[in-house]
Amino acid sequence: MQALYVAVFLLLLPCYGLAAPEQMWLLLNNTSDSRNSRGDVDIQILALLQQLAPPDLKIEPLRLGDARTWKLLREQGNYCALSKIRTAERERFLLFSKRPTSVYPPVQLISNRRLADHPVDLTLLFRQNPRMKIGIVQGRSYGEKLDELIEQYPQHFYQRSGEYAAETLLQMLAKQRLDALLEFAATARGHQAQVPQSSHFVTHQLLHQPVIMGYLVCTQSDNGKKLIQLTDHKMQLPQYRKQAIELHRQYFTPEDFLLIEADLLQIF
């Protein structure tokens, strides 16, 4: 009889707080724009989330191609992804974390010559330069306003995919095969060793461009909702909020950090 009691007790242990943690498969691109072994700020945030995840959440990174990532996000309940820009189209099939996981300065127009002495209106620039060609990374969202403009003027954009797509575009700009790029200044600086000419490129602010916020997203499902809720709870912890700001400070230059500091303090 005593053995029977022991067996029943062991069977009931999961009901008393020893249940397995929720499993999140966090999808990352299997290609990278960064040659820095530290990766970008999102990789640092991922390590912080993994540190704070136990005991009720387990986060396992999984590197996949872009097409496979979006397929799983549309179909599977325990798949999530990091640093996705919020758009109306994506909200139809994804759940977004309450807070962004990363904040970047606004995308800039980078060229090998000065195009203007003031924030650039791309629509006006296209009218003034009918043959202008701007490089962009295929599959990336640049925010709803820029995404709409890219769709409206496809003849003015050259899209590049694959590993180190941003670096390849910088090389094309250095060889004057492109007129400009839409890119983050930090990304251009990160490839100066491979593209030395980039240190002489000119960066232009774009008119009416906000900071770029990347969110953790999960599939719209019961599992996805549970994973988002758990992640939101981790991101509300004081140690997460303090460290998230510090990780951004460490990653960006002082000049870039000034562009996002007010937003970071408001978010975290």
Side-chain angles (χ1 to χ4, degrees), residues 58-75:
K58 183 179 181 182
I59 301 175
E60 291 286 347
L62 183 62
R63 290 194 176 273
L64 294 175
D66 202 52
R68 180 63 174 161
T69 292
W70 287 111
K71 179 176 173 60
L72 290 175
L73 285 174
R74 289 178 180 273
E75 297 176 357

Side-chain angles (χ1 to χ4, degrees), residues 4-5 7 32 40 45 121 130 137 142 171 180 216 220 222 242 265:
L4 178 61
Y5 287 149
S32 173
D40 54 24
I45 292 291
D121 181 336
V137 176
Y142 290 85
Q171 291 171 341
L216 186 139
Q220 280 195 12
D222 290 340
K242 180 179 179 180
L265 293 175

Side-chain angles (χ1 to χ4, degrees), residues 1 4 10 18 24 42 51 63 86 91 93 109 129 163 176 190 213 227 234 251 260:
M1 183 63 71
L4 178 61
L10 291 174
L18 297 181
M24 175 193 291
D42 300 291
Q51 177 186 336
R63 290 194 176 273
R86 193 170 202 144
E91 284 183 324
F93 67 96
L109 187 70
N129 302 271
E163 190 167 17
Q176 299 185 10
M213 299 184 185
L227 291 171
K234 307 298 180 182
Y251 177 74
I260 63 174

Side-chain angles (χ1 to χ4, degrees), residues 22-214:
E22 294 291 334
Q23 175 72 58
M24 175 193 291
W25 293 104
L26 191 60
L27 304 178
L28 306 172
N29 289 337
N30 61 3
T31 58
S32 173
D33 277 335
S34 175
R35 290 186 181 272
N36 187 332
S37 60
R38 290 178 63 246
D40 54 24
V41 70
D42 300 291
I43 299 303
Q44 309 301 310
I45 292 291
L46 168 59
L48 178 59
L49 284 172
Q50 286 180 297
Q51 177 186 336
L52 298 175
D56 48 352
L57 178 63
K58 183 179 181 182
I59 301 175
E60 291 286 347
L62 183 62
R63 290 194 176 273
L64 294 175
D66 202 52
R68 180 63 174 161
T69 292
W70 287 111
K71 179 176 173 60
L72 290 175
L73 285 174
R74 289 178 180 273
E75 297 176 357
Q76 301 293 331
N78 60 339
Y79 284 94
C80 301
L82 201 62
S83 193
K84 297 301 181 186
I85 292 176
R86 193 170 202 144
T87 68
E89 191 275 332
R90 291 176 177 180
E91 284 183 324
R92 286 197 283 268
F93 67 96
L94 292 176
L95 299 169
F96 286 75
S97 57
K98 289 181 180 178
R99 286 190 175 92
T101 52
S102 58
V103 179
Y104 283 80
V107 172
Q108 295 181 322
L109 187 70
I110 300 177
S111 64
N112 52 21
R113 60 186 176 87
R114 182 160 296 283
L115 300 173
D117 295 318
H118 47 75
V120 173
D121 181 336
L122 284 177
T123 304
L124 177 61
L125 191 64
F126 293 155
R127 287 203 296 266
Q128 296 170 342
N129 302 271
R131 294 188 177 183
M132 186 164 205
K133 191 70 73 174
I134 298 175
I136 59 174
V137 176
Q138 188 175 43
R140 180 197 286 180
S141 172
Y142 290 85
E144 286 196 279
K145 289 184 179 180
L146 283 178
D147 288 349
E148 289 174 3
L149 189 139
I150 291 168
E151 187 175 352
Q152 185 179 357
Y153 296 96
Q155 70 275 20
H156 287 290
F157 294 94
Y158 170 81
Q159 299 193 35
R160 184 80 184 194
S161 62
E163 190 167 17
Y164 303 125
E167 182 181 307
T168 301
L169 292 171
L170 286 164
Q171 291 171 341
M172 293 178 69
L173 180 60
K175 296 174 182 178
Q176 299 185 10
R177 293 167 60 188
L178 292 169
D179 298 301
L181 309 177
L182 288 181
E183 193 48 87
F184 299 109
T187 301
R189 282 194 298 270
H191 292 292
Q192 282 187 7
Q194 291 73 36
V195 190
Q197 301 95 321
S198 64
S199 63
H200 302 294
F201 290 163
V202 181
T203 58
H204 305 80
Q205 292 184 0
L206 292 170
L207 199 62
H208 307 311
Q209 284 302 306
V211 298
I212 300 295
M213 299 184 185

